[in-house]
């Protein structure tokens, strides 16, 4: 059995970036649809801000996904990140 490899912590912003690209939507358009400032959306995409429960709710409406999808992405990212510290 080989050495254990811990999971990779993928920030929810990576997923948001992919979804924006596949939907052919700009951060500015997402901002208009959600009321979330463009700079905050860009910070999420760049991995410098988290997806709050409020953002998850707004993203779920725009993209037709459950807010649990976004919350789970954020929670999993945080759990994996904490495990990598220890």
């Amino acid at each position: 059995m080989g050495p254990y490899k811990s999971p990779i912590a993928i920030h929810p912003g990576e997923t948001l970036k992919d979804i924006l690209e596949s939907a052919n939507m700009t951060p500015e358009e997402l901002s208009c649809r959600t009321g979330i400032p463009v700079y905050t959306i860009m910070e999420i995409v760049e991995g410098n801000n988290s997806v709050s429960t409020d953002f998850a709710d707004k993203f779920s409406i725009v993209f037709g996904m459950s807010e649990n999808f976004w919350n789970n992405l954020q929670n999993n990212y945080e759990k994996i990140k904490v495990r990598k510290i220890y």
Side-chain angles (χ1 to χ4, degrees), residues 1-5:
M1 189 182 260
Y4 172 76
K5 291 185 179 182

Side-chain angles (χ1 to χ4, degrees), residues 17-65:
K17 180 181 176 184
D18 291 343
I19 291 172
L20 285 171
E21 287 175 2
S22 68
N24 201 26
M25 185 183 300
T26 64
E28 292 80 12
E29 185 177 351
L30 181 59
S31 174
C32 288
R33 291 183 178 197
T34 60
I36 301 169
V38 175
Y39 68 86
T40 303
I41 292 170
M42 291 307 301
E43 285 187 335
I44 294 170
V45 168
E46 293 168 359
N48 298 322
N49 201 346
S50 60
V51 175
S52 68
T53 55
D54 181 49
F55 296 166
D57 185 50
K58 291 176 180 183
F59 292 165
S60 71
I61 293 167
V62 172
F63 297 118
M65 303 168 165

